[in-house]
Amino acid sequence: MTYRFDTAAIHAGSPIDPTHGAVVAPIVQTTTFAQYELGGEPPYCYSRSGNPTRRALEEALAALEGAAHGLAFASGLAAAQAVLLTLRSGARVVASQDLYGGCHRLFTKVFSRFGVQFDLVDTTDTEIVRRALDTPAQWLWLETPSNPLLRVTDIEACAEIARRRGVRTLVDNTFATPILQRPLDLGADLVLHSTTKYIGGHCDVIGGGLVTNDESLFAELKFLQNAAGAVPGPQDCFLLLRGIRTIGLRVRKHVESAALLAERIDSLPGVQRVIYPGRRDHPQHAIAARQFPGFGAVISFELEGGRDAAGALVRRLRLWTLAESLGGIRSLLCHPATMTHASLSAQERATVGISDGLLRLSVGLEDPEDLWEDLEQALRPARAVAAAGAAKRTRATDSEVRR
Ligand SMILES: *Cc1c(COP(=O)(O)O)cnc(C)c1O
């Protein structure tokens, strides 16, 4: 029987524990499992290969995406690494241009050394995707909405183009969450999550996941999960499961507050541009409305006055915390140029469109009116500072913005 989202989120991977009747999947903190005969095939033999708490998490991850199989990893990047380990030297990956900075680094600074070629293209234009896939490739790697510019790619159209050419499609669904966007239903072969974000949801655990309906792909990735070994421990799996139980409630509230802030932010002084897929002025608003109803809880905006103005805002905020990451209970703000996307060169950032005045908000679960008032009080004087900065144009300040 398949349940609706909120029911699955609470019950998946958590049948009543047969040993003691516990209603929560126990933390099975053990390295190894006793075997009772030679050559038997016990369900668990060593916790890198498999662990009951991890298994519970993997079942829950699959259930969230309405899929047959889930695999849990030590981080989102460990999950990405497992996918890239399916490749051989000479392979080619076509990927979205404004990719999560860590994936970009993994592609261009690690796997490129092993002879894998990465072509980063504007996947919001399906014609560009079609052309890119006219040259043989193994994976089409989509991130939608993208980070930090929240560009939306038409998953269904791109996955269809890829499928006809025998190319597998991966969607990084971290920003969208499984409640708002279901890539497998749209033709993707594999979904990647940094479970560190909305799935864990409480800013307290790093994790990653892969979800698929494809049996042979699952078998290959499961082999690599064990062979390369980037698995999460049982305590982390427990925390992620605990997060999953409330994901429906949390994401709905995140989205409600984000919609409210996205409507208001451009009324603040110094805000040049607000980027949010739920706004009618977002270039892919129509696709977002179809593919990604709810529009997520990340908002980016550009401040007049560049880095000085961004630094001044950060200094004045009281409730919003300057920090990497997103998708948790606590509202965070990030300056991509010096933080998440600092591993890109200035040239690469310019190509993608990440300016020094760009800020990214992850709207948390606080009362949205408090979040709004904090932005308001912080932005009013920010403008004066930006003007002063533009006049002087000499100092490089903003010590708080440094990592
Ligand atoms: C955070 C993130 C990752 C990487 O996940 P980690 O858990 O930090 O390793 C990958 N993709 C996206 C979109 C992310 O936000």
Side-chain angles (χ1 to χ4, degrees), residues 75-146:
S75 68
L77 285 180
Q81 183 198 339
V83 178
L84 295 172
L85 287 173
T86 62
L87 301 173
R88 276 150 231 271
S89 166
R92 179 168 171 265
V93 176
V94 173
S96 298
Q97 203 169 44
D98 52 331
L99 213 55
Y100 174 74
C103 291
H104 186 273
R105 181 174 53 203
L106 185 64
F107 288 5
T108 58
K109 300 212 162 82
V110 183
F111 276 86
S112 61
R113 288 189 298 194
F114 300 97
V116 178
Q117 186 193 330
F118 295 92
D119 284 323
L120 305 182
V121 303
D122 178 3
T123 54
T124 64
D125 184 336
T126 48
E127 200 40 52
I128 291 179
V129 173
R130 193 187 312 277
R131 257 181 279 135
L133 292 179
D134 279 342
T135 307
Q138 280 63 46
W139 280 104
L140 172 63
W141 189 297
L142 304 176
E143 192 179 313
T144 179
S146 69

Side-chain angles (χ1 to χ4, degrees), residues 9-349:
I10 286 167
H11 288 266
S14 205
I16 300 300
D17 171 48
T19 317
H20 302 295
V23 298
V24 170
I27 302 171
V28 183
Q29 189 77 42
T30 185
T31 53
T32 193
F33 300 83
Q35 301 187 32
Y36 297 101
E37 55 180 329
L38 296 182
E41 286 190 13
Y44 299 102
C45 54
Y46 184 63
S47 277
R48 170 165 33 73
S49 319
N51 172 282
T53 318
R54 192 172 95 216
R55 182 79 211 119
L57 171 61
E58 293 176 334
E59 284 175 16
L61 288 174
L64 292 183
E65 293 282 355
H69 304 292
L71 289 167
F73 292 85
S75 68
L77 285 180
Q81 183 198 339
V83 178
L84 295 172
L85 287 173
T86 62
L87 301 173
R88 276 150 231 271
S89 166
R92 179 168 171 265
V93 176
V94 173
S96 298
Q97 203 169 44
D98 52 331
L99 213 55
Y100 174 74
C103 291
H104 186 273
R105 181 174 53 203
L106 185 64
F107 288 5
T108 58
K109 300 212 162 82
V110 183
F111 276 86
S112 61
R113 288 189 298 194
F114 300 97
V116 178
Q117 186 193 330
F118 295 92
D119 284 323
L120 305 182
V121 303
D122 178 3
T123 54
T124 64
D125 184 336
T126 48
E127 200 40 52
I128 291 179
V129 173
R130 193 187 312 277
R131 257 181 279 135
L133 292 179
D134 279 342
T135 307
Q138 280 63 46
W139 280 104
L140 172 63
W141 189 297
L142 304 176
E143 192 179 313
T144 179
S146 69
N147 175 35
L149 295 167
L150 308 176
R151 291 184 175 134
V152 176
T153 292
D154 186 335
I155 297 172
E156 195 166 19
C158 291
E160 175 62 16
I161 294 166
R163 197 189 53 77
R164 275 196 256 113
R165 288 159 174 79
V167 178
R168 280 170 165 160
T169 301
L170 173 149
V171 175
D172 185 334
N173 210 27
T174 301
F175 272 48
T177 81
I179 190 170
L180 304 178
Q181 177 168 280
R182 289 296 195 85
L184 298 178
D185 296 346
L186 299 170
D189 299 285
L190 186 64
V191 170
L192 182 146
H193 277 286
S194 167
T195 54
T196 310
K197 316 294 165 55
Y198 291 99
I199 289 182
H202 291 73
C203 311
D204 57 9
V205 57
I206 299 280
L210 294 173
V211 172
T212 184
N213 284 317
D214 182 320
E215 297 294 331
S216 68
L217 182 57
F218 170 66
E220 193 178 356
L221 291 166
K222 189 167 170 55
F223 165 78
L224 289 166
Q225 180 195 40
N226 180 48
V231 295
Q235 306 268 354
D236 284 357
C237 293
F238 166 80
L239 284 173
L240 287 163
L241 277 164
R242 172 128 175 180
I244 283 173
R245 304 312 178 203
T246 56
I247 189 172
L249 276 173
R250 286 188 289 105
V251 170
R252 278 182 216 106
K253 174 70 177 169
H254 279 295
V255 161
E256 196 183 295
S257 298
L260 187 137
L261 295 181
E263 272 299 306
R264 292 185 187 172
I265 285 179
D266 60 1
S267 71
L268 290 173
V271 173
Q272 275 179 321
R273 180 163 78 113
V274 179
I275 307 168
Y276 183 65
R279 286 171 58 104
R280 255 170 252 275
D281 60 4
H282 185 282
Q284 293 95 33
H285 175 70
I287 300 166
R290 192 176 73 228
Q291 167 178 295
F292 175 44
F295 308 111
V298 177
I299 305 168
S300 292
F301 65 98
E302 216 156 337
L303 270 187
E304 200 177 293
R307 186 173 160 159
D308 282 353
L313 168 65
V314 164
R315 276 192 294 276
R316 297 197 58 91
L317 285 169
R318 296 167 190 153
L319 193 52
W320 294 82
T321 305
L322 180 68
E324 312 245 352
S325 199
L326 63 124
I329 50 176
R330 187 176 181 125
S331 289
L332 304 177
L333 129 143
C334 152
H335 183 241
T338 54
M339 297 166 71
T340 51
H341 290 69
S343 62
L344 274 69
S345 67
Q347 170 73 50
E348 285 169 323
R349 282 198 299 274

Side-chain angles (χ1 to χ4, degrees), residues 341-363:
H341 290 69
S343 62
L344 274 69
S345 67
Q347 170 73 50
E348 285 169 323
R349 282 198 299 274
T351 308
V352 175
I354 299 170
S355 73
D356 286 352
L358 187 77
L359 289 155
R360 186 192 77 190
L361 302 178
S362 167
V363 181

